[in-house]
């Protein structure tokens, strides 16, 4: 079976680490068709975009300096011109599309390899003739915002080929010790030719490529792929969306297959490492994983993912086997409130090529009232993006101001105000919004809006408003995180709004599900695909336009509302059944804090807003982490536990508590002696979610003493803190084996910055 390798094969391996994809790519098309292997032969828009961007960059370069270019781009630079360039002939500084294909493969693939080298075209090679011998630099051009490690391994492979070619032709010259990636410039877009240069040392990437070529590639190439037999390892997950072989692999995880024959890749959240471990012990299907014991987490060879998530994966496999929604391992979540009289839903789609928003949606729901605003951005124009942000967030702020005014009047009359909360589905949508705001801080409208954003996050320490302290103002929820905590869904992707909402609607037809129209469905996400956003930006015919995209956003907002309503319904049902509360984010009626007047804001107010917003963002991130279950916090390295109490010794000023760490449970935590913000508790979120209590739970992690046994740690607690009622409650609740240490949020600069800005303000006023 003739096989071949190219630069794309190298990039693909280090991008996906997929044995099956790599094996298929080095096979000849005729052999694949004989299996048969289903392949999507359509040229993806991102590939077309990359070629067009490269052409513009090279054309612009050619206007400034000498560039040898091929007459027929797909055929590469003619061999005679390429060899002359490498031998130092001519005056051109650059050569484009040089076919690096040495006749002898030993130096590239190792001795004895029966693989052949396919055409590998280096985008650019720069020749520096200023020294005693030519120095060649390999350059790759990518229509991306940044250079990724797998891009750099591709350059390293080209360098490996170039060195072999130089040796073969006896050229006097050497290859530079660095390579370059030219990518879309900051502030530019993919339709232009502006580029930034990422210059990097080649040595570490050359070692990776050498190891792959000499050790990994022969193993992959030896795997038998024939009719009725396929020995390659594969795993279907979100990165597979851009793979041409996805239609072939999808059939193994299809819901049409019975659980006894459905590959375990169908289980949401399963990693490559975990699948390889499970298949090694004979657990290959959804049914076999559903029948497995949680003890698989302790078996030899279980990696980090499997050892920490075995019970969750088993529950999800059971949900798939039974085709029904099951309960997760966590009985409650502190990330979402049980009540929202006023619900504000946000949605954002981001185009990673233009690094900008494609859509922005907002829906306001109160009782029977529901209205929405949807912005679709058909261009990458930054001013249009700023205008869309202002229109959407002006509506959000206006609605919250109205709720605040009503609550003020209601509270003055002794009534109960309205609870308001913001919902998104994906955490990535919040990140897209945050990045969009950051891009437009020069816009005075956006800067002024920061003041209103700060008013959603009332500061405890800086603003002397006790009634706004506490976490009742945690303003937003990423619904996906709540779903993953509380339920095992019969879906292959737990973060896909389409799959999750349809699974809920299957059991509860009254719930509005996201059912995308033709052209919008994606296998792993409900967010707008790159294919759709690029077609919109490039005004391609036969693809969804702005009107269709607006309708799709509206449908997703309705589905998000349906999922959140269903979650609250499940909460009420559990209470009615006599169970504990499921949604435990305790919020009070919504009020804005009044420390800033957005209508009379000066430069110092904006600076204070920046400082406070950064402080609140850090606090919010910490609270979201602390709201996670104990095991999740521990696995992220920001907590230690469960710890066993050894003894407590009281001294004049401090109380020292010795604790023992269970081997493998907490020893890798990122908590260091002398660190700030460490608190001791029984690990339950209801205790550590209130920042007002952190000072009363504070402890110092001590450095190990000579003679301390492995796994033994010491903490010091200020004696008045230890003897106070709250810490005594911790001692009672933690008992002998339930102690936990968590990292909280500490901002040492916020008070100082606020005091300095206040001082400056007083000086200006004088």
């Amino acid at each position: 079976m003739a096989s071949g390798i190219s630069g794309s094969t190298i990039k693909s391996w280090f991008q996906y680490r997929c044995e099956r994809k790599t094996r298929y790519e080095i096979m000849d098309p005729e052999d694949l068709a004989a299996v048969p292997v289903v392949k999507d032969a359509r040229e993806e828009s991102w590939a077309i975009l990359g070629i067009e961007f490269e052409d513009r960059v090279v054309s612009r370069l050619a206007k400034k300096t000498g560039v040898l270019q091929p007459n027929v781009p797909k055929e590469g630079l003619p061999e005679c011109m390429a060899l002359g360039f490498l031998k130092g002939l001519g005056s051109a500084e650059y050569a484009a599309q040089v076919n690096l294909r040495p006749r002898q493969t030993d130096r590239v693939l190792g001795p004895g390899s029966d693989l052949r080298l396919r055409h590998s075209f280096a985008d650019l090679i720069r020749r520096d003739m200023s020294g005693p011998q030519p120095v060649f630099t390999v350059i790759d051009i990518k229509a991306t915002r940044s250079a990724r490690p797998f891009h750099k391994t591709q350059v390293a492979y080209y360098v490996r080929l170039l060195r072999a070619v130089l040796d073969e032709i006896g050229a006097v010259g050497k290859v530079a010790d660095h390579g370059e990636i030219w990518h879309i410039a900051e502030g530019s877009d993919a339709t232009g030719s502006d580029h930034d240069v990422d210059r990097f040392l080649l040595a570490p990437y050359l070692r990776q490529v050498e190891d792959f070529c000499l050790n990994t590639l022969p193993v992959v190439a030896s795997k038998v792929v024939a009719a009725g037999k396929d020995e390659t390892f594969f795993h279907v997950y979100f990165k597979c969306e851009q793979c041409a072989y996805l239609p072939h692999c999808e059939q193994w995880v299809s819901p049409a297959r019975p659980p006894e024959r459905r590959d375990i890749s169908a289980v949401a959240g399963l990693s490559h490492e975990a699948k390889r471990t499970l298949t090694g012990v004979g657990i290959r299907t959804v049914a076999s994983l559903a029948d497995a014991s949680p003890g698989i987490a302790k078996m030899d060879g279980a990696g980090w993912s499997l050892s920490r998530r075995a019970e969750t994966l088993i529950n999800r496999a059971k949900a798939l086997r039974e085709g029904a929604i099951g309960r997760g391992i966590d009985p409650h979540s502190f990330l979402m409130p049980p009540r929202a009289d006023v619900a504000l839903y946000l949605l954002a789609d981001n185009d990673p090529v233009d690094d900008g928003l494609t859509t922005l949606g907002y829906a306001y729901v109160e009782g029977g009232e529901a209205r929405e605003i949807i912005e679709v951005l058909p261009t990458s124009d930054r001013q249009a993006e700023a205008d869309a942000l202002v229109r959407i967030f002006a509506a959000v702020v206006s609605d919250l101001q109205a709720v605040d005014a009503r609550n003020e009047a209601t509270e003055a009359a002794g009534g109960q105000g309205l609870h308001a909360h913001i919902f998104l589905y994906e955490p990535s949508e919040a990140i897209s919004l945050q990045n969009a705001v950051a891009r437009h801080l020069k816009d005075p409208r956006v800067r002024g809006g920061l003041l209103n954003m700060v008013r959603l996050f009332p500061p405890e320490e800086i603003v002397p408003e006790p009634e706004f302290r506490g976490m009742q103002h945690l303003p937003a929820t990423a619904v996906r995180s709540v779903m993953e905590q509380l339920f095992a869904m019969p879906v292959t992707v737990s973060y896909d709004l389409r799959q999750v909402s349809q699974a809920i609607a299957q059991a509860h037809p009254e719930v509005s599900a996201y059912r995308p129209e033709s052209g919008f469905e994606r296998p792993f996400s409900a967010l707008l695909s790159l294919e759709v956003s690029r077609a919109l930006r490039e005004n391609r015919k036969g693809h969804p336009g702005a009107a269709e995209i607006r309708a799709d956003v509206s449908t997703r907002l309705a589905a998000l509302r349906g999922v959140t309503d269903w979650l609250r319904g499940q909460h009420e049902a559990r209470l009615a059944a006599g169970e504990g509360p499921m949604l435990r984010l305790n919020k009070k009626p919504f009020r804005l804090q009044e420390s800033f007047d957005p209508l009379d804001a000066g430069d110092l107010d904006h600076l204070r807003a920046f400082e406070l917003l950064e402080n609140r963002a850090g606090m919010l991130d910490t609270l979201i982490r602390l709201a996670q279950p104990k095991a999740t916090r521990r696995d992220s390295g920001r907590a230690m536990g469960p710890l066993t109490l050894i003894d407590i010794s009281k001294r004049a000023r401090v109380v020292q508590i010795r604790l023992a760490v269970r081997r493998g449970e907490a020893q890798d935590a990122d908590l260091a002696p002398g660190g700030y913000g460490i608190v001791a508790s029984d690990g339950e979120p209801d205790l550590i979610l209130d920042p007002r209590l952190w000072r009363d739970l504070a402890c110092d992690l001590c450095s190990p003493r000579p003679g301390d046994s492995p796994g033994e740690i010491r903490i010091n607690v200020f004696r008045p803190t230890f003897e106070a009622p709250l810490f005594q409650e911790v001692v009672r609740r933690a008992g002998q084996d339930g102690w936990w240490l968590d990292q909280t949020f500490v901002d040492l600069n916020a008070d100082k910055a606020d005091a300095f800005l206040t001082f400056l303000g007083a000086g200006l006023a004088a």
Side-chain angles (χ1 to χ4, degrees), residues 566-582:
W566 178 80
L567 280 168
R568 284 193 291 268
Q570 292 294 300
H571 171 83
E572 295 298 329
R574 291 192 186 183
L575 290 180
E579 301 182 45
M582 186 181 80

Short mmCIF file of all heavy atoms in Angstrom, two decimals, residues 566-582:
data_model
loop_
_atom_site.label_atom_id
_atom_site.label_comp_id
_atom_site.label_asym_id
_atom_site.label_seq_id
_atom_site.Cartn_x
_atom_site.Cartn_y
_atom_site.Cartn_z
N TRP A 566 -36.74 25.47 32.14
CA TRP A 566 -36.80 24.05 32.50
C TRP A 566 -35.98 23.79 33.77
O TRP A 566 -36.42 23.04 34.65
CB TRP A 566 -36.30 23.20 31.35
CG TRP A 566 -36.28 21.74 31.64
CD1 TRP A 566 -37.33 20.87 31.60
CD2 TRP A 566 -35.13 20.96 32.04
NE1 TRP A 566 -36.92 19.60 31.94
CE2 TRP A 566 -35.58 19.63 32.22
CE3 TRP A 566 -33.80 21.25 32.25
CZ2 TRP A 566 -34.71 18.60 32.60
CZ3 TRP A 566 -32.93 20.24 32.63
CH2 TRP A 566 -33.40 18.93 32.81
N LEU A 567 -34.82 24.41 33.86
CA LEU A 567 -33.99 24.23 35.06
C LEU A 567 -34.73 24.72 36.31
O LEU A 567 -34.72 24.04 37.35
CB LEU A 567 -32.67 24.99 34.90
CG LEU A 567 -31.58 24.31 34.07
CD1 LEU A 567 -30.47 25.29 33.76
CD2 LEU A 567 -31.05 23.08 34.77
N ARG A 568 -35.37 25.87 36.21
CA ARG A 568 -36.12 26.35 37.37
C ARG A 568 -37.29 25.43 37.69
O ARG A 568 -37.63 25.21 38.86
CB ARG A 568 -36.60 27.79 37.12
CG ARG A 568 -35.48 28.83 37.25
CD ARG A 568 -36.04 30.23 37.32
NE ARG A 568 -36.61 30.62 36.02
CZ ARG A 568 -35.93 31.26 35.08
NH1 ARG A 568 -34.67 31.56 35.27
NH2 ARG A 568 -36.52 31.59 33.95
N GLY A 569 -37.91 24.87 36.64
CA GLY A 569 -38.99 23.92 36.87
C GLY A 569 -38.51 22.67 37.57
O GLY A 569 -39.20 22.13 38.46
N GLN A 570 -37.33 22.19 37.20
CA GLN A 570 -36.76 21.02 37.87
C GLN A 570 -36.45 21.33 39.34
O GLN A 570 -36.63 20.48 40.22
CB GLN A 570 -35.48 20.58 37.15
CG GLN A 570 -35.72 20.02 35.76
CD GLN A 570 -36.50 18.72 35.80
OE1 GLN A 570 -36.07 17.74 36.40
NE2 GLN A 570 -37.67 18.71 35.17
N HIS A 571 -35.99 22.56 39.59
CA HIS A 571 -35.74 22.98 40.96
C HIS A 571 -37.02 22.93 41.79
O HIS A 571 -37.04 22.37 42.90
CB HIS A 571 -35.16 24.40 40.96
CG HIS A 571 -35.05 25.03 42.31
ND1 HIS A 571 -33.98 24.80 43.14
CD2 HIS A 571 -35.88 25.89 42.97
CE1 HIS A 571 -34.15 25.49 44.27
NE2 HIS A 571 -35.30 26.15 44.18
N GLU A 572 -38.09 23.47 41.25
CA GLU A 572 -39.37 23.48 41.97
C GLU A 572 -39.89 22.06 42.17
O GLU A 572 -40.46 21.73 43.23
CB GLU A 572 -40.39 24.31 41.20
CG GLU A 572 -40.05 25.79 41.11
CD GLU A 572 -40.01 26.46 42.48
OE1 GLU A 572 -40.74 26.01 43.38
OE2 GLU A 572 -39.23 27.42 42.63
N ALA A 573 -39.69 21.19 41.18
CA ALA A 573 -40.16 19.82 41.30
C ALA A 573 -39.43 19.08 42.41
O ALA A 573 -40.03 18.29 43.15
CB ALA A 573 -39.98 19.09 39.96
N ARG A 574 -38.14 19.33 42.55
CA ARG A 574 -37.38 18.67 43.62
C ARG A 574 -37.82 19.17 44.99
O ARG A 574 -37.92 18.39 45.93
CB ARG A 574 -35.88 18.89 43.41
CG ARG A 574 -35.33 18.16 42.20
CD ARG A 574 -33.81 18.15 42.19
NE ARG A 574 -33.30 17.59 40.94
CZ ARG A 574 -32.01 17.40 40.68
NH1 ARG A 574 -31.10 17.74 41.58
NH2 ARG A 574 -31.63 16.88 39.53
N LEU A 575 -38.10 20.46 45.08
CA LEU A 575 -38.59 20.98 46.35
C LEU A 575 -39.95 20.36 46.69
O LEU A 575 -40.20 19.98 47.85
CB LEU A 575 -38.72 22.51 46.29
CG LEU A 575 -37.42 23.32 46.25
CD1 LEU A 575 -37.74 24.81 46.18
CD2 LEU A 575 -36.54 23.03 47.45
N ALA A 576 -40.82 20.24 45.69
CA ALA A 576 -42.15 19.66 45.92
C ALA A 576 -42.05 18.20 46.34
O ALA A 576 -42.91 17.69 47.07
CB ALA A 576 -43.00 19.79 44.65
N ALA A 577 -40.99 17.52 45.89
CA ALA A 577 -40.80 16.11 46.24
C ALA A 577 -40.09 15.95 47.58
O ALA A 577 -39.77 14.82 47.98
CB ALA A 577 -40.02 15.40 45.14
N GLY A 578 -39.84 17.06 48.25
CA GLY A 578 -39.20 16.99 49.56
C GLY A 578 -37.70 16.89 49.51
O GLY A 578 -37.06 16.57 50.52
N GLU A 579 -37.09 17.15 48.34
CA GLU A 579 -35.63 17.10 48.22
C GLU A 579 -35.04 18.47 48.51
O GLU A 579 -35.75 19.47 48.62
CB GLU A 579 -35.25 16.64 46.81
CG GLU A 579 -35.79 15.26 46.43
CD GLU A 579 -35.34 14.85 45.05
OE1 GLU A 579 -34.14 15.03 44.76
OE2 GLU A 579 -36.17 14.35 44.27
N GLY A 580 -33.73 18.51 48.60
CA GLY A 580 -33.05 19.77 48.85
C GLY A 580 -33.09 20.67 47.63
O GLY A 580 -33.35 20.22 46.51
N PRO A 581 -32.83 21.96 47.80
CA PRO A 581 -32.84 22.90 46.67
C PRO A 581 -31.75 22.57 45.66
O PRO A 581 -30.64 22.19 46.03
CB PRO A 581 -32.62 24.26 47.32
CG PRO A 581 -31.96 23.95 48.62
CD PRO A 581 -32.50 22.63 49.06
N MET A 582 -32.06 22.70 44.38
CA MET A 582 -31.12 22.38 43.32
C MET A 582 -30.31 23.61 42.90
O MET A 582 -29.12 23.54 42.64
CB MET A 582 -31.88 21.82 42.12
CG MET A 582 -31.01 21.30 41.00
SD MET A 582 -31.98 20.67 39.60
CE MET A 582 -32.41 22.20 38.79
#
